[in-house]
Amino acid sequence: MKIALVGNPNSGKTTLFNELTGSTAKVGNWAGVTVDKKEGTYKKAKTPMDIIDLPGVYSLSPYTLEEVIARDYIVNEQPDAIINIVDATNLERNLYLTTQILETDIPVVIALNMMDVVKKTKDEINTKAIEQKLGVPVIEISALRGENIHELMNVVAALAKKREPLDIFSGTQLESSYRSLVDLFTKHNVKQPCFTASKVLENDEKILSFDEVKALQAEIEKITTLTEDNEALMADIRYGYIDEQLRSAIKKSKVLGEMST
Ligand code: GDP
Ligand code: K
Ligand code: MG
């Protein structure tokens, strides 16, 4: 799972990144430019998380190189979650970026950083109220002191937990074709390999006409023979799945059942 750190310059991104990734960190460059690209792994979670430190930005507008890099990454790479690191001593200005991040459909957790400083001042921050207004978890941390980091990552993991694609093919006559197609598409980095495999088996013309699928046509034909009957066959498999797996959850009222017959 891919987690991106996004925040203003000097909000503590690098401090948090180092705390999370330790010796696993690698520094490179973003393609074609000399802005640092830092990636590493957070190993203390049940599933290790790939962490990427995006360039510090005040906005997601397209004006600076850093903004374009951050924006392109969020839009094109679709991280599983964003940690929006916010300098709690400079809340209003930092939330300007937050509003833009929250306009994407990617899960977001706000890490309210520098809470060690806030606690020394008389400032009060109503974290729960911010959570309620913005509709995302807000976790108070101190990146510098390593405080509350594990709690932050637990919330991130819960939010970003991958949903496994539904598998309706077990025990059906298309099971082995389905598994081979998923392997093929995964190997060739086709997006949504499971969905694509299922749609190919359904003889879905739109999916079959995608360039990345068309390029694999010869290999697809080795795995399965598609005919117009495939659509009906897939419908049978879907209804079979629903009947077998979900029948017990759908209690039909006897009266209604009798009335409809
Ligand atoms: P970046 O520009 O977002 O990568 O920010 P840095 O990680 O470089 O941090 C900017 C400055 O804030 C550095 O001097 C850090 O030591 C300091 N800093 C980061 N996190 C905290 C924190 O939780 N508490 C305090 N007091 N200082 C912090
Ligand atoms: K800095
Ligand atoms: Mg930095």
Side-chain angles (χ1 to χ4, degrees):
M1 119 183 357
K2 270 187 312 194
I3 312 294
L5 300 183
V6 188
N8 285 13
N10 294 316
S11 58
K13 273 186 308 87
T14 299
T15 308
L16 177 61
F17 175 83
N18 291 340
E19 176 74 26
L20 292 175
T21 61
S23 61
T24 67
K26 284 199 197 87
V27 184
N29 280 323
W30 293 93
V33 295
T34 55
V35 178
D36 274 1
K37 179 180 190 177
K38 295 202 209 80
E39 289 175 287
T41 310
Y42 179 67
K43 289 183 171 167
K44 290 179 193 152
K46 271 190 208 130
T47 321
M49 296 189 238
D50 295 326
I51 312 288
I52 179 133
D53 185 18
L54 293 182
V57 290
Y58 295 105
S59 164
L60 293 180
S61 43
Y63 300 122
T64 68
L65 190 54
E66 285 79 6
E67 285 168 353
V68 171
I69 291 170
R71 205 165 78 148
D72 283 356
Y73 185 87
I74 293 170
V75 172
N76 298 330
E77 301 295 321
Q78 289 269 336
D80 297 291
I82 290 173
I83 298 174
N84 174 207
I85 180 159
V86 160
D87 175 357
T89 67
N90 213 335
L91 200 49
E92 279 174 59
R93 194 172 70 165
N94 276 246
L95 288 175
Y96 184 79
L97 172 66
T98 303
T99 60
Q100 298 175 55
I101 294 170
L102 291 178
E103 285 162 37
T104 70
D105 60 8
I106 296 166
V108 175
V109 176
I110 294 176
L112 210 51
N113 192 33
M114 317 248 183
M115 285 307 292
D116 57 306
V117 182
V118 171
K119 279 172 189 160
K120 283 188 204 144
T121 69
K122 291 203 173 114
D123 291 350
E124 278 181 29
I125 297 175
N126 187 339
T127 305
K128 286 286 159 225
I130 302 174
E131 270 189 354
Q132 262 172 8
K133 289 283 177 204
L134 296 179
V136 295
V138 178
I139 312 296
E140 297 181 359
I141 66 164
S142 167
L144 189 65
R145 298 189 176 181
E147 283 169 6
N148 236 16
I149 305 302
H150 200 57
E151 290 76 0
L152 168 69
M153 297 314 282
N154 280 341
V155 172
V156 171
L159 209 69
K161 203 191 261 167
K162 279 239 173 76
R163 187 175 58 76
E164 290 295 323
L166 186 67
D167 179 356
I168 62 169
F169 292 95
S170 291
T172 71
Q173 57 177 300
L174 293 183
E175 178 170 11
S176 73
S177 305
Y178 173 73
R179 307 235 182 279
S180 303
L181 288 175
V182 172
D183 288 346
L184 176 70
F185 295 146
T186 304
K187 197 173 101 196
H188 288 87
N189 293 317
V190 173
K191 287 195 187 111
Q192 302 286 356
C194 297
F195 182 77
T196 304
S198 174
K199 287 299 171 205
V200 163
L201 287 172
E202 219 161 22
N203 207 16
D204 180 311
E205 280 174 27
K206 187 118 190 172
I207 291 270
L208 287 165
S209 73
F210 284 171
D211 286 344
E212 51 182 13
V213 175
K214 255 207 269 182
L216 297 170
Q217 194 175 338
E219 306 206 38
I220 292 171
E221 279 168 12
K222 271 187 230 157
I223 292 169
T224 183
T225 311
L226 297 171
T227 71
E228 282 173 9
D229 293 341
N230 271 64
E231 206 175 332
L233 180 56
M234 281 289 298
D236 284 349
I237 288 175
R238 279 191 207 293
Y239 280 119
Y241 176 87
I242 293 167
D243 188 42
E244 222 167 86
Q245 304 295 323
L246 301 173
R247 187 175 35 199
S248 64
I250 308 169
K251 274 197 199 134
K252 284 211 180 121
S253 140
K254 257 197 179 153
V255 177
L256 275 180
E258 279 161 14
M259 277 166 68
S260 66
T261 52

